[in-house]
Amino acid sequence: MSLKGDPAWPLVLCGVKVALLTDCYLPRLGGIEVQMHDLGRHLVAEGHEVHAFTATRGADGTRHGQEVIDGVQVHRLAIPLPGDLPVNPLAPRELRSVLGDFDVAHVAMGVVSPFAMDSTRVALGLGVPTAVTWHCVQDRFRFVVQAAGYVRRWSRRGAALSAVSSVAAAPLVGLSTTPIAVLPNGISVADWAPSGELRVPPGGVVEVVSAMRLATRKRPVELVAAVGAARSELTGRGVDLRLTILGDGPLRSRVLTEGARYGDGWLTLPGRVTREELRARYLDSDLYVAPARLEAFGIAALEARTVGLPVVAPAMSGVSEFVTDGVNGVLTGPSTSELAAGIARLAGDTALLREITVTNQTSAPACDWPDVVRAAVAEYERAGA
């Protein structure tokens, strides 16, 4: 049953056929890839039929074909490109032949998303109710986006536009003729919440942890410099810091070099780990640091905060959506020195560190998947209206 143009849309939105359209998808691992997969499987659990269309090839190298992952029908529309870039200028023709059968299209936008932009144009051209969600902060590119004019065009054609945080939405405000909603990322809170006896951070040695791709945008080198500086400041106060960064990437050697400037044995880089290992590492840590300035949301920081860890992050990042300064952690200025001061302030104040830990352990954030799915469905209703 097609609901396009049905005046009763908001009242009958159940068992809807949803097309998720994203440049990147599993088996690639990243914020958009994992979030779109998780959104899809939770929509399926709510009784919707979900298909994902992507320019990412499959784990077995398949570039064109279909497979089912956690109940989601995944359509691969990839072509051979250097570095397996998720770009396919030939995709619109195929999308045009199939998207008309869907009740709603939900597009995931990154900083540069040619497949997503093509998908949006095709869906709107077919008259399919379309929701577009930005998973990035367009602050540096706002004038380019404004000059291109596609945000305004999409909103005028009825697309429901959203971003994963108010930080990510802010650069788009004024570029659209309709409101930019906030559709947050989600987690399964029960999978991350602490169980059993609550952990109380000890004095003396503070275990600092972070999880990220070791790439420039995530600022891993600056993280090491900030923790190293805080460590030097706290030495005379009987507090030592040890840092573990979970993840891998092209800056690994630079991170190790930066760490050596502040001594030996305090920095650990285990590489990429599973979600189960990540949770276990968080449970054995005392403090989480999210150093990225242009973080649209900060899913790893949200997971750490749900485990109970106090979080230190720049106030300008999307982490501020679920971390209140002095309540769930410390929000700082964007510079490395300001980040270091925030780390030293929290790690050096055992009473504050323990108070925030207890707060985070006993109060779950409002980003559980049932809530996020309801918010997504509200966006589909807005698109259908």
Side-chain angles (χ1 to χ4, degrees):
M1 174 178 65
S2 175
L3 301 179
K4 298 188 288 291
D6 189 330
W9 170 284
L11 302 178
V12 295
L13 194 55
C14 59
V16 170
K17 190 174 181 180
V18 182
L20 300 180
L21 299 127
T22 171
D23 296 60
C24 301
Y25 200 77
L26 300 183
R28 293 172 75 116
L29 294 176
I32 292 179
E33 297 91 323
V34 173
Q35 280 296 306
M36 292 303 280
H37 163 259
D38 285 351
L39 174 61
R41 67 186 180 90
H42 282 92
L43 283 167
V44 168
E46 294 291 329
H48 303 292
E49 179 183 347
V50 182
H51 295 243
F53 295 84
T54 180
T56 301
R57 67 183 178 92
D60 60 356
T62 300
R63 291 193 170 89
H64 198 278
Q66 300 180 29
E67 62 179 311
V68 178
I69 303 178
D70 293 333
V72 177
Q73 186 76 38
V74 181
H75 302 252
R76 306 281 179 186
L77 285 75
I79 59 175
L81 286 176
D84 282 326
L85 288 174
V87 177
N88 184 357
L90 306 177
R93 174 180 293 182
E94 187 165 352
L95 290 172
R96 199 170 286 113
S97 69
V98 295
L99 288 186
D101 293 332
F102 286 82
D103 296 316
V104 65
H106 187 174
V107 183
M109 287 287 292
V111 176
V112 179
S113 302
F115 181 86
M117 294 183 71
D118 285 342
S119 299
T120 304
R121 286 192 290 268
V122 170
L124 290 173
L126 292 171
V128 178
T130 303
V132 182
T133 303
W134 273 264
H135 291 250
C136 61
V137 180
Q138 291 282 13
D139 189 58
R140 293 180 178 176
F141 305 98
R142 186 180 188 279
F143 293 111
V144 175
V145 175
Q146 182 177 17
Y150 55 83
V151 175
R152 187 171 298 275
R153 287 195 301 273
W154 293 349
S155 62
R156 283 176 173 169
R157 297 181 68 181
L161 307 182
S162 62
V164 295
S165 66
S166 57
V167 170
L172 302 171
V173 173
L175 304 184
S176 169
T177 60
T178 55
I180 306 294
V182 172
L183 175 57
N185 286 330
I187 63 171
S188 295
V189 168
D191 292 344
W192 293 93
S195 57
E197 185 177 349
L198 301 182
R199 171 183 168 82
V200 177
V205 176
V206 175
E207 298 287 348
V208 182
V209 67
S210 191
M212 66 176 73
R213 175 166 166 74
L214 304 182
T216 302
R217 187 175 68 85
K218 296 295 186 178
R219 302 180 73 212
V221 177
E222 291 82 354
L223 167 64
V224 174
V227 177
R231 185 169 180 259
S232 298
E233 180 180 337
L234 293 171
T235 299
R237 295 160 57 181
V239 177
D240 191 20
L241 302 181
R242 291 197 288 253
L243 172 62
T244 299
I245 306 178
L246 303 163
D248 211 340
L251 295 186
R252 182 181 179 89
S253 61
R254 284 189 57 193
V255 168
L256 290 170
T257 299
E258 182 68 22
R261 294 181 55 206
Y262 298 92
D264 299 321
W266 70 282
L267 173 63
T268 305
L269 300 178
R272 183 175 289 171
V273 299
T274 65
R275 286 187 180 186
E276 292 74 19
E277 292 174 292
L278 193 64
R279 182 178 183 274
R281 293 274 186 169
Y282 288 169
L283 287 170
D284 286 336
S285 301
D286 305 305
L287 174 63
Y288 186 94
V289 183
R293 295 172 178 170
L294 297 178
E295 190 71 79
F297 187 81
I299 194 71
L302 174 63
E303 292 164 347
R305 177 249 182 270
T306 305
V307 166
L309 294 183
V311 177
V312 178
M316 65 188 295
S317 81
V319 174
S320 61
E321 296 285 296
F322 50 84
V323 170
T324 299
D325 185 42
V327 178
N328 311 108
V330 172
L331 297 177
T332 74
S335 71
T336 302
S337 61
E338 289 169 313
L339 197 65
I343 295 167
R345 172 192 163 195
L346 195 49
D349 189 336
T350 302
L352 179 60
L353 188 65
R354 291 176 176 173
E355 177 184 338
I356 292 176
T357 299
V358 171
T359 296
N360 288 352
Q361 289 175 333
T362 55
S363 60
C367 294
D368 206 3
W369 269 116
D371 301 319
V372 174
V373 168
R374 281 192 291 271
V377 170
E379 283 301 286
Y380 302 164
E381 292 176 345
R382 188 160 72 104

